[in-house]
């Protein structure tokens, strides 16, 4: 197979931009008009948008790579510094933009190939001397989440696409001989506790009181919600019904200190195949093995390590790498020190237990430092592993399985045999004998243990679909998931059944060539409904049900058009089913508001938007934040509600409904009192102060804000000694940026 690194880079597929669409409420309007066509971005959106910070340039260290790496496929790493398109907001009344491309990239990167790491004792000891208590796995873990440079992937039809936000997940096989059982604390409870700790942390900007400067730079999507979604997508442990957390490859590592290196490599391989590190029986035992020799630059001879590396290639093939690291610990005062990036995909259990903290804290924000040469060598190793071994291996497996298994199932003979097994039991014994033996109607599903063996067609096709999804070939993955739906329903494999419905809907929503028409949205909604019902009613699996609803909400919202109405409905479903805690309720209320706020008015008329519904959900979010004791977040939601309600307020900034005005006024007053108490001020003194935005706005913008009618902020400038100003909602008649809302 030709290496994907030799293919000509191709621009990533077109992505959908939500523009400014909006969403639905619990009340249905059968006759309500909707946009006849979705809001699609005509330009190709660069897929390197990512939520993690961009990697630093490598141009200064690239020249050393051919010398540092002795592997046969070593290549120089190109500088990869993707610049994120930031949408800085001039004032909180201008609203928060959609930011769905960031969320879409976050979802795509969450389903990355998993690579196991199994290091020898001497290797872990060498790495611990550098300040990493978790050994070699902890050292390379953060570098795998974003592979430097562009990764070229070929789909099932041979078309090549380049991705600059590709990554892998490194997991520790050495510390987990068997997949651990579910923790005593439910995963969703751990997620809520992790969010609560993040809000209460004094070092986290979300936990303190937001300043006006924070409002000016408030991101398009709440950072707390991104943290919630990231932890939700990290909470899954390996399960039989999906293979996203099954290892695609394993890295077997020894160091130059080892006295019997080849025998140690064979022993480590045997441990992962049939020893105490063997994975459960529902994980396919055949996956790629990659052998790494860590050379100690400070104490060992490179000549001897090179000879040993040549022996490794002769015995184990070309999937080998010589990684040259220094064993001395790097400190901040070193000239060539580089801070190790923080791991992005930390589960709630890891955040609560503090497993990510380094061995030695040298006032470095909890992150250790490495020598620049070590960072360069690790990035070269990770890129070579992914581009030259993992991606070609996955492409080869998908091609083989597609030709040998999937093509037969899609043909007439395959459908006939499937029907024969279903109704007559041909090819797998009689129907009664299968049921009596504990098997499903196809004879391949083990009802007593609840999984398919990894070598049966149903398991192979699911693995093929997951590989295609991780290779971002969503058309092939969607068709394969759809092929399996009837088989799993026939076998009553309900968790498998729910999983293929969920991932089929996600694949169709991620496919940029799949037009989100109304009929297609209805089909996707039916898949989501089936998946959610099976997860909750038949399997009692709340984490996967919440994942299904969260992914569906975000991806439907990003597609715009009729999908926006469905997005809000699924967010409400998650709240109605009590799948989220008190913090999650507030976050989902904000997301429902964002869904409704993204709904545009019908072109040429003044109706069709959902700004008032968006404002209502923003007010509800403010009330929820206030109950949690977060007046700053409540104030931000109230100011967002003022902007959304601009077209219904009168000239004095008051609501036409007295009851609504009284509710909002009481909420504002409660926010003011809570804020004063959190600042340790006298709640009886409510001194009106200037707009806090004036201190951070340019002079020209401040003059424009001064002309606005009755516009006063909910929170006064905390840098002054005053308290809160009097709160009055108003519409921005002089700001040309609100023309769209006046037309709504």
């Amino acid at each position: 197979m030709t290496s994907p690194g030799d293919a000509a880079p191709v621009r990533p597929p077109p992505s959908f931009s939500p523009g400014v669409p909006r969403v639905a409420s619990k009340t249905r309007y059968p006759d309500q008009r909707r946009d006849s066509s979705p809001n699609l971005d005509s330009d190709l959106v660069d897929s390197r948008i990512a939520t993690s910070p961009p990697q630093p340039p490598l141009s200064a260290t690239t020249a050393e790579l051919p010398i540092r790496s002795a592997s046969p496929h070593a290549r120089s790493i190109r500088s990869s510094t993707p610049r994120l398109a930031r949408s800085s907001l001039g004032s909180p009344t201008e609203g928060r933009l959609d930011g769905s491309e960031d969320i879409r990239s976050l979802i795509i990167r969450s389903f990355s190939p998993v690579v196991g790491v199994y290091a020898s004792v001497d290797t872990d000891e060498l790495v611990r001397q550098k300040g990493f208590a978790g050994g070699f796995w902890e050292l390379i873990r953060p570098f795998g989440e974003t592979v430097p440079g562009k990764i070229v992937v070929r789909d099932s039809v041979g078309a090549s696409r380049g991705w600059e936000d590709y990554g892998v997940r490194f997991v520790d096989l050495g510390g987990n001989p068997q997949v651990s059982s579910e923790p005593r604390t439910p995963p969703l409870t751990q997620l809520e506790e992790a969010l609560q700790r993040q809000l209460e942390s004094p070092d986290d900007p979300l936990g303190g009181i937001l300043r006006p400067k924070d409002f000016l730079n408030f991101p398009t999507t709440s950072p707390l919600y991104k943290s919630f979604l990231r932890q939700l997508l990290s909470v899954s442990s390996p399960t039989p019904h999906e293979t996203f957390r099954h290892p695609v490859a394993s890295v077997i590592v020894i160091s130059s200190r080892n006295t019997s290196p080849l025998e140690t490599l064979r022993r480590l391989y045997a441990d992962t195949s049939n020893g105490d590190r063997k994975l459960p029986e529902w994980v396919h035992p055949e996956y790629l093995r990659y052998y790494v020799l860590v050379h100690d630059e400070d104490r060992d001879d490179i000549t001897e390590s090179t000879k040993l590396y040549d022996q490794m290639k002769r015995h184990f093939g070309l999937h080998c790498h010589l990684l040259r690291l220094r064993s001395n610990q790097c400190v901040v005062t070193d000239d060539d020190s580089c801070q190790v990036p923080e791991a992005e995909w930390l589960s709630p259990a890891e955040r609560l237990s503090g497993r990510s903290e380094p061995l030695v804290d040298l006032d470095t924000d909890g992150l250790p430092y490495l020598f620049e040469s070590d960072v360069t060598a690790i990035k070269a190793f990770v890129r070579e592993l992914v581009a030259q071994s993992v991606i070609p291996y996955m492409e080869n497996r998908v091609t083989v399985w597609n030709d040998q298994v999937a093509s037969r199932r899609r043909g007439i003979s395959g459908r006939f045999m499937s029907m024969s097994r279903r109704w007559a039991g041909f090819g797998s014994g009689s129907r009664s004998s299968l049921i009596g033996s504990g098997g499903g109607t196809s004879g391949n599903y083990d009802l007593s243990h609840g999984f398919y063996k990894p070598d049966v067609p149903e398991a192979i096709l699911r693995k093929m679909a997951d590989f295609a999804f991780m290779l971002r070939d969503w058309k092939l993955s969607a068709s394969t998931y759809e092929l399996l739906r009837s088989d799993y329903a026939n076998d009553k494999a309900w968790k498998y059944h729910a999983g293929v419905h969920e991932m089929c809907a996600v694949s169709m929503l991620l496919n940029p060539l799949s037009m989100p028409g109304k009929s297609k949205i209805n089909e996707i909604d039916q898949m989501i409904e089936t998946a959610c019902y099976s997860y909750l009613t038949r399997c009692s699996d709340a984490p996967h049900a919440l994942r299904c609803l969260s992914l569906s909400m975000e991806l439907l919202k990003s597609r715009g058009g009729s999908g926006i109405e469905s997005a809000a409905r699924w967010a409400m479903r998650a709240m109605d089913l009590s799948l989220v805690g008190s913090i999650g309720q507030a976050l989902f209320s904000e997301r429902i508001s964002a869904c409704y706020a993204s709904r545009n008015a019908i072109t040429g008329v003044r109706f069709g938007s959902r700004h008032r519904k968006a404002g209502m959900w923003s007010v509800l979010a403010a009330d929820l934040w206030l109950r949690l004791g977060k007046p700053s977040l409540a104030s931000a939601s109230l100011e967002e509600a003022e902007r959304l309600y601009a077209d219904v307020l009168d000239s004095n900034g008051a609501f036409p409904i007295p009851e609504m005005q009284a509710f909002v006024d009481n909420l504002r007053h409660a926010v003011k009192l809570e804020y004063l108490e959190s600042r340790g001020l006298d709640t009886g003194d409510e001194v009106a102060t200037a707009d806090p935005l004036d201190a951070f706005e340019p002079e020209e913008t401040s003059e424009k804000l001064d002309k606005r009618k009755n516009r006063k902020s909910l929170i006064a400038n905390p840098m002054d000694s005053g308290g809160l100003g009097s709160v009055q909602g108003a519409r921005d008649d002089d700001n040309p940026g609100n023309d769209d809302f006046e037309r709504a």
Side-chain angles (χ1 to χ4, degrees), residues 408-409 411-428 441-442 458 487 490:
R408 297 179 181 178
R409 294 294 305 275
I412 297 178
S413 60
R415 296 179 182 178
F416 176 75
M417 290 302 298
S418 178
M419 291 170 46
S420 301
R421 289 199 309 268
R422 185 178 307 173
W423 300 110
F426 295 157
S428 57
T441 57
S442 72
E458 291 82 0
D487 293 342
N490 177 57

Side-chain angles (χ1 to χ4, degrees), residues 258-270:
N258 198 290
T259 56
S260 55
L262 297 182
E263 291 75 8
T264 302
L265 287 174
R266 293 190 180 96
R267 179 179 56 80
L268 295 177
Y269 174 84

Side-chain angles (χ1 to χ4, degrees), residues 9 377 380 389 439 482 506 534:
S389 296
E482 192 169 3
V506 172
S534 294

Side-chain angles (χ1 to χ4, degrees), residues 102 157 163 186 201 242 257 273 315 348 493 513 539 555 589 682 716:
D102 288 346
V157 297
W163 303 92
S201 173
E242 64 181 18
R257 299 179 179 180
S273 298
H315 283 80
L513 302 180
C539 306
L555 294 177
S589 297
D682 186 3

Side-chain angles (χ1 to χ4, degrees), residues 53-130:
Q55 297 292 338
L58 302 178
S59 57
T61 58
T62 307
E64 297 184 15
L65 293 180
I67 301 176
R68 300 288 296 171
S69 177
S71 301
H73 303 294
R75 296 183 176 184
S76 60
I77 299 179
R78 292 173 293 179
S79 175
S80 175
T81 55
R83 297 183 179 179
L84 307 183
R86 299 180 179 176
S87 301
S88 59
L89 305 179
S91 79
T93 57
E94 293 178 10
R96 304 169 190 172
L97 301 182
D98 200 292
S100 61
E101 284 302 325
D102 288 346
I103 297 296
R104 186 176 184 273
S105 176
L106 180 68
I107 292 172
I108 293 173
R109 292 185 297 109
S110 67
F111 295 96
S112 298
V114 169
V115 178
V117 178
Y118 190 22
S120 61
V121 176
D122 52 280
T123 305
D124 285 338
E125 188 64 31
L126 185 151
V127 175
R128 288 191 182 99
Q129 293 179 8
K130 299 176 67 63

Side-chain angles (χ1 to χ4, degrees), residues 253-440:
V253 193
I254 62 171
S255 71
S256 56
R257 299 179 179 180
N258 198 290
T259 56
S260 55
L262 297 182
E263 291 75 8
T264 302
L265 287 174
R266 293 190 180 96
R267 179 179 56 80
L268 295 177
Y269 174 84
D271 289 344
T272 58
S273 298
N274 49 25
D276 58 350
R277 307 298 173 179
K278 181 182 178 181
L279 295 173
E281 56 181 326
W282 35 264
V283 177
H284 204 289
E286 296 181 5
Y287 49 87
L288 178 69
R289 263 70 170 192
Y290 195 89
Y291 302 91
V292 177
L293 172 61
V294 178
H295 169 70
D296 185 355
E297 290 277 75
D298 294 324
R299 293 176 174 83
D300 293 333
D301 185 7
I302 184 60
T303 304
E304 296 297 326
S305 297
T306 304
K307 292 179 181 179
L308 176 59
Y309 176 68
D310 293 336
Q311 292 180 352
M312 289 173 53
K313 289 190 293 183
R314 287 194 297 268
H315 283 80
F316 303 105
L318 295 179
H319 295 294
C320 300
H321 188 91
L322 175 60
L323 180 60
R324 301 171 61 176
L325 299 177
R326 297 183 60 180
S327 58
N328 294 333
Q329 184 172 355
C330 179
V331 294
V332 187
T333 56
D334 293 335
D335 296 334
D336 58 345
S337 61
C338 294
Q339 191 173 26
V340 177
E342 183 181 5
E344 179 182 7
W345 300 102
L346 295 174
S347 65
E350 289 177 309
R351 293 181 182 273
L352 292 174
S353 62
R355 287 182 56 188
S356 60
E357 297 179 0
L359 181 64
V360 179
D361 187 3
L362 301 174
D363 296 331
T364 59
D365 298 330
L367 297 175
Y369 275 70
L370 283 175
F371 296 104
E372 187 176 357
S373 59
D374 291 345
V375 173
T376 303
I378 294 174
K379 289 183 177 180
F381 154 65
V382 171
R383 176 168 178 80
E384 180 180 323
L385 167 68
V386 175
Q388 303 298 333
S389 296
V390 173
I391 297 298
Y393 172 78
M394 296 177 67
E395 292 173 343
N396 177 266
R397 291 290 87 198
V398 169
T399 301
V400 171
W401 291 332
N402 194 19
D403 293 340
Q404 296 181 356
V405 183
S407 60
R408 297 179 181 178
R409 294 294 305 275
R410 294 189 180 99
I412 297 178
S413 60
R415 296 179 182 178
F416 176 75
M417 290 302 298
S418 178
M419 291 170 46
S420 301
R421 289 199 309 268
R422 185 178 307 173
W423 300 110
F426 295 157
S428 57
S430 65
R431 185 180 179 90
S432 59
S433 63
L434 291 172
I435 297 176
S437 63

Side-chain angles (χ1 to χ4, degrees), residues 172-221:
D172 186 16
L173 296 181
N176 301 282
Q178 293 290 338
V179 177
S180 59
S181 58
E182 290 295 326
R184 296 180 180 178
T185 305
L188 295 185
T189 303
Q190 290 183 337
L191 176 59
E192 186 75 10
E193 292 176 357
L195 294 175
Q196 182 67 33
R197 179 177 295 185
Q198 185 176 358
L199 277 177
E200 295 175 353
S201 173
D203 299 331
D204 197 306
L206 295 173
I209 297 176
L210 293 179
R211 300 172 298 173
K213 186 175 181 180
D214 298 322
F215 282 124
L216 294 177
N217 298 308
F218 211 95
T220 57
T221 304

